[in-house]
Amino acid sequence: MKLGNITDYSAKLLKGSRMNTMLIVLAVLFAELFFRVAESALYSLMLYFGTIKPAELFTDKTLLQYLISAVFTTLRYITAAPLIFTAACRFTGICTGNAKLKRTPLSSILLSRRLYLRSLASLLCSKLAGVIFMLPSAFFGCTAFSLIADAASDNSPTSLFMALHASVMTLLSVGLWIWAKLSLMTVPFLMVYFPEKKVFTLAMRSIGFMKGRRTVMIKLFAYYGIRMLPVVTIPAVLPELFSAVSLCIDIFIKEDEYREGNSAGGRHRQTSHSSKLSAWAKRCFKTPSDKAQTAGYGNNL
């Protein structure tokens, strides 16, 4: 898949629904920013009334600070989780042409207890994996900073050698953390395609699902990240990013279906899905007969 084809076609898919999708994406963004700003405002009030000292914000935290951080983190998670899943549902409906997903009221998704618990579980899986894989990078980063300071003071070749290795380990640990985050970013979208499967099962499947495909996602984030640098372009670019990610995931799923059907049917046998999936292997996307499958791609990709 070429990056230009993906970005161009994902932008075309948003025609007629750009404003609605923008509001959905901004709801996810504002849910995160609201509680971040509220936490900062609370600390500002505490500083103003002398409850804490400015130095305490950057040194060892008190029990009160840990409690405040835990409360606002919990509020962010329980608010953002259903919004992320709702965005995944709506953009999947747009990219696959699924009329049911496109027309389902957002309130029915947000107010569903089952969907809420599943979306919260998927977010917690991603956050937990992020924390686990972030610990080595934090350890090696602090160690590298200390060793670099020691090497600068005593000019010892041994200290410089250890500092260099600690820095390399820090970069490797950060790369491992990025690998984990990219591996689990597809879980909300896979929940839409496989609503009967458990969240933990989908999280494990997502790791293998993204094998060899993380580079595509990195390119997408880099491309749209550059476009969002002016900040004012964020509301317009974010829907295109969600649409491009949804489109890529749909293509990845069709590729896996084709490979599984091809391997199950043998070299000279066609499966019952071969007529629908063969077009994906040839990169000639015709509208399939099954309405639940992706529709209307044409030859743009």
Side-chain angles (χ1 to χ4, degrees):
M1 292 182 294
K2 293 183 178 180
L3 179 63
N5 293 334
I6 292 294
T7 55
D8 290 344
Y9 195 72
S10 61
K12 293 178 181 178
L13 289 173
L14 295 178
K15 286 185 177 180
S17 60
R18 183 175 290 273
M19 183 58 65
N20 293 333
T21 55
M22 183 185 300
L23 293 176
I24 297 172
V25 174
L26 289 181
V28 178
L29 179 62
F30 287 153
E32 179 75 18
L33 292 178
F34 175 81
F35 292 106
R36 293 283 187 182
V37 173
E39 185 176 3
S40 301
L42 180 58
Y43 281 128
S44 299
L45 291 174
M46 293 172 65
L47 288 171
Y48 179 78
F49 289 105
T51 306
I52 59 174
K53 298 178 181 179
E56 293 179 358
L57 293 175
F58 308 100
T59 56
D60 295 336
K61 291 186 176 181
T62 63
L63 180 61
L64 179 60
Q65 288 175 279
Y66 281 116
L67 179 61
I68 292 174
S69 179
V71 169
F72 279 99
T73 300
T74 303
L75 290 174
R76 287 203 314 272
Y77 288 177
I78 64 178
T79 304
L83 293 174
I84 294 173
F85 179 71
T86 302
C89 287
R90 186 50 53 93
F91 280 95
T92 299
I94 293 173
C95 291
T96 61
N98 190 317
K100 183 178 179 181
L101 287 176
K102 291 172 66 175
R103 297 173 183 174
T104 300
L106 300 181
S107 58
S108 64
I109 302 175
L110 292 171
L111 299 179
S112 172
R113 181 175 178 270
R114 177 178 176 274
L115 295 179
Y116 176 79
L117 293 177
R118 283 173 60 83
S119 62
L120 183 59
S122 69
L123 181 62
L124 291 177
C125 282
S126 177
K127 296 296 183 181
L128 181 60
V131 170
I132 293 174
F133 284 93
M134 177 58 74
L135 290 177
S137 60
F139 171 76
F140 287 116
C142 294
T143 304
F145 180 80
S146 177
L147 291 174
I148 290 173
D150 293 340
S153 60
D154 58 16
N155 293 322
S156 172
T158 303
S159 299
L160 182 61
F161 179 79
M162 294 177 64
L164 178 62
H165 279 71
S167 300
V168 173
M169 290 301 299
T170 301
L171 294 176
L172 291 176
S173 301
V174 171
L176 188 62
W177 175 78
I178 295 174
W179 174 88
K181 297 296 287 185
L182 289 174
S183 298
L184 295 174
M185 64 168 292
T186 61
V187 175
F189 297 92
L190 293 179
M191 288 166 55
V192 180
Y193 286 93
F194 309 103
E196 73 286 351
K197 294 186 178 296
K198 295 181 178 180
V199 174
F200 183 77
T201 302
L202 292 177
M204 294 296 100
R205 177 173 179 173
S206 180
I207 297 175
F209 177 75
M210 290 299 292
K211 182 179 180 181
R213 295 163 172 166
R214 298 178 184 88
T215 305
V216 178
M217 294 300 175
I218 292 175
K219 291 179 180 179
L220 282 178
F221 284 113
Y223 172 75
Y224 288 107
I226 293 173
R227 292 180 57 186
M228 288 188 288
L229 286 178
V231 179
V232 294
T233 60
I234 290 178
V237 176
L238 271 179
E240 294 185 18
L241 173 60
F242 269 74
S243 179
V245 171
S246 301
L247 180 61
C248 285
I249 292 173
D250 188 61
I251 293 175
F252 295 157
I253 289 176
K254 294 300 183 297
E255 288 177 343
D256 286 350
E257 288 177 350
Y258 174 78
R259 289 167 185 165
E260 291 173 2
N262 201 29
S263 60
R267 181 177 298 179
H268 301 293
R269 252 178 87 190
Q270 286 189 339
T271 65
S272 58
H273 300 287
S274 60
S275 61
K276 300 176 184 177
L277 300 177
S278 59
W280 287 90
K282 299 174 183 178
R283 291 293 189 270
C284 179
F285 304 110
K286 297 182 179 180
T287 304
S289 58
D290 187 358
K291 294 183 180 179
Q293 302 294 332
T294 305
Y297 280 88
N299 296 320
N300 293 281
L301 298 180

